[in-house]
Amino acid sequence: MDVPVTDKIPHTQQAISVLWPSFLIAIVATGVFFSAFNPRDLIPFNLDIDISPLAAYSIGFFLFWVVAAISSYGTLYFIISNSRFLNKQNR
Amino acid sequence: MSASQANTSENTLYAAHKKIYPREVSGRFTRLRMLSVIVLLGIYYLTPLLRWDGRQALLFDLPARKFYIFGLTLWPQDFIYLAALLILAGLSLFFFTALVGRVWCGYACPQTVWTEAYLWMERKIEGKRTSRMKLDKAPTSAAKIRTKTLKHTVWIAFSLWTGFTFVGYFTPIDQLAAKLFSASLGPWETFWILFYSFATYGNAGFMREQVCMYMCPYARFQSAMFDSDTLIVAYHPERGDPRGSRRRGTDPKSVGLGDCIDCNVCVQVCPTGIDIRDGLQYECIACSACIDACDEIMDKMSYPRGLIRYTTENAAQGRKQHILRPRVMVYATILLVLCGILLTNLFLRVPLELDVIRDRNTLYRETREGLIENVYTLKILNMDSKPHQYTLTADGIDGMKLVTDEPEIVVPAGAVQELIVRLQADEFNMESRSVAVKFYLQANQANHLNTVEEARFVGPGKP
Ligand code: SF4
Ligand code: SF4
């Protein structure tokens, strides 16, 4: 069986395949999330922070991006380690 | 590239990147493409400057959580319309792909549009394809540094303008400009301007065709919408092969050749660096540069044009063509139905919302007259662009009375008004401990502006 040697994908391409899809998902998630919730209502009552809406949206966006990127990285990690494993078995 | 290197790059899925220097072309499709680029860039940079009713005509006002689209104001509650709009955009992409292939890629995709703009600046500064290649190969010199610095300065300036305009879609652009000139931009505004500028500079200046090849999801799945009747850019092998150079004015048949003179101009103009003569490839963004390039060669050779041309697989094979085929009809039907639903809903949309919250502290009270009283907080949201006066009524229990301290209910445009109201009813008329009641809100002098909201009325219950 021919197993693609996925771990030979250049590092920039690996980085793009993690950061790029998660970026797109983060945009969608931010849009959906903040149309349902006003950032002003999300600050717990006992906290007295004054945060501009733009800052709240931006931070929200980056949080979504990080979460989605972790998930993307997980996928990439499993693909690479599985392809190594299969290559070893096939040898 | 050594043999071993070539071998690894074959295994990596992504070939090692070679910088592409697209050769300049002219012709009818190139003119059409430039027109499209100019119109689209014009729309992008000018739209935020348009005014409507004393405000920015198109503004996705994030801080105020309102989207202004000319006469229409959308609230977070209207999110569904934006989602529907995006779905419609996606579906039209399907429809047009099935019909005319990747015209989107070649003529309208922002990646293409900005790449063309950056390429144009590059050509103005560094010259034609051959001089650009020479410049890059040349050793570092004062002249080279000067040319490169000039190019990057112009690119960066254009990127910054692009980033500024982008943020101008989300915060009022006149305020943004004022803040910029008084150097008082907020940290996040600054960040997003720089972020978008950097993305533009990177994508249009450097990544270019690699975005289409490695990052674009559409490029990957567009072939699913293709069939044998989809418009594609194709070389005509029966006519062109066998290829070979010859002197001008030679009759190809007399030397045993096809019409292709193997000049490679079609490859040199290709922004993705492929050879269209190898057949349809997913890298091809259907920009039609190779059509214009080859037509020019054919004219020079006095051969008929169209060795590379827009065609469909069926036409190329001499089969019958169908424009209206099931796939196109299905996409068109879904598109029309969704469009209809969206427009009807938008037309019937009542820019008024009423929220009723029962007083949480006391279930009910007894008035001096012995009536049961419930207290509610009403939130009236006037999403219209005009202020309105409203009439509030309620029913659900015989003889129920509605009492409020406000003499009249007036809500300014785009504002929320809170209102405390009390409902009073005779316990005798209540069928059970908790009865459903309805609040009716009607705008005066605007019949279509009305809404109903249900609430519970609680009493002591039947003994
Ligand atoms: S431009 Fe036309 S003639 Fe020249 S190589 Fe391409 S197909 Fe052949
Ligand atoms: S093959 Fe022709 S149409 Fe396709 S991308 Fe290259 S130049 Fe454009």
Side-chain angles (χ1 to χ4, degrees), chain A residues 5 8-10 13 16 20 23-24 31-32 34-40 52-55 57-59 61-62 65, chain B residues 8 11-15 62-65 76-77 79 167 170-171 188-189 191-192 195 207 210-211 214-217:
Chain A
V5 195
K8 293 237 176 80
I9 297 176
Q13 300 291 357
I16 287 176
W20 176 237
F23 178 80
L24 297 179
V32 173
F34 283 116
S35 40
F37 302 103
N38 189 338
R40 208 169 303 151
S52 81
L54 193 60
Y57 296 129
S58 309
I59 292 166
F61 169 75
F62 281 106
W65 195 3
Chain B
T8 18
N11 279 337
T12 54
L13 296 182
Y14 301 122
L62 292 183
R65 297 172 68 72
Q77 290 87 329
F79 175 76
V167 176
F170 299 95
T171 52
W188 285 105
E189 286 157 349
F191 170 82
W192 286 114
F195 185 93
M207 307 273 287
Q210 297 179 75
V211 173
Y214 305 128
M215 290 164 72
C216 177

Side-chain angles (χ1 to χ4, degrees), chain B residues 233 270-272 274 276 284-290:
Chain B
V233 174
C270 179
T272 68
I274 56 166
I276 190 67
C284 172
I285 57 169
C287 69
S288 62
C290 53

Side-chain angles (χ1 to χ4, degrees), chain B residues 201-242:
Chain B
Y201 177 66
N203 281 342
F206 301 90
M207 307 273 287
R208 294 190 177 168
E209 78 290 344
Q210 297 179 75
V211 173
C212 312
M213 288 176 357
Y214 305 128
M215 290 164 72
C216 177
Y218 172 68
R220 300 288 169 103
F221 68 71
Q222 42 82 21
S223 57
M225 274 88 79
F226 268 55
D227 58 26
S228 314
D229 288 305
T230 301
L231 202 67
I232 51 171
V233 174
Y235 166 77
H236 197 334
E238 286 78 30
R239 191 187 138 191
D241 290 357

Side-chain angles (χ1 to χ4, degrees), chain B residues 115-177:
Chain B
T115 300
E116 280 302 334
Y118 278 60
L119 207 55
W120 181 82
M121 292 182 249
E122 190 169 68
R123 276 184 191 134
K124 287 281 165 232
I125 295 166
E126 291 187 354
K128 294 186 164 203
R129 170 183 149 96
T130 36
S131 20
R132 293 205 304 275
M133 290 168 105
K134 229 196 286 162
L135 184 72
D136 279 359
K137 282 214 195 80
T140 316
S141 67
K144 180 171 176 177
I145 293 177
R146 224 180 301 125
T147 316
K148 290 278 175 193
T149 315
L150 178 63
K151 178 179 88 176
H152 288 286
T153 314
V154 173
W155 274 4
I156 289 171
F158 197 72
S159 305
L160 286 172
W161 182 30
T162 312
F164 173 80
T165 306
F166 177 73
V167 176
Y169 278 93
F170 299 95
T171 52
I173 199 162
D174 43 355
Q175 291 169 28
L176 200 64

Side-chain angles (χ1 to χ4, degrees), chain B residues 235 259-266 277 294 297-298 307-308:
Chain B
Y235 166 77
D259 279 358
C260 173
I261 65 165
D262 215 7
C263 61
N264 264 329
V265 170
C266 54
R277 295 171 301 169
C294 188
I297 302 292
M298 292 296 110
L307 179 55
I308 302 177

Side-chain angles (χ1 to χ4, degrees), chain A residues 4-87:
Chain A
V5 195
T6 325
D7 52 337
K8 293 237 176 80
I9 297 176
H11 284 293
T12 32
Q13 300 291 357
Q14 290 192 13
I16 287 176
S17 65
V18 168
L19 294 177
W20 176 237
S22 45
F23 178 80
L24 297 179
I25 290 299
I27 292 176
V28 176
T30 312
V32 173
F33 183 82
F34 283 116
S35 40
F37 302 103
N38 189 338
R40 208 169 303 151
D41 304 337
L42 292 176
I43 300 170
F45 292 112
N46 49 1
L47 286 181
D48 186 26
I49 15 179
D50 191 24
I51 186 167
S52 81
L54 193 60
Y57 296 129
S58 309
I59 292 166
F61 169 75
F62 281 106
L63 286 180
F64 280 121
W65 195 3
V66 168
V67 171
I70 292 173
S71 160
S72 285
Y73 180 76
T75 309
L76 183 72
Y77 174 80
F78 281 118
I79 287 179
I80 289 179
S81 59
N82 288 353
S83 84
R84 279 196 194 128
F85 179 65
L86 288 173
N87 272 312

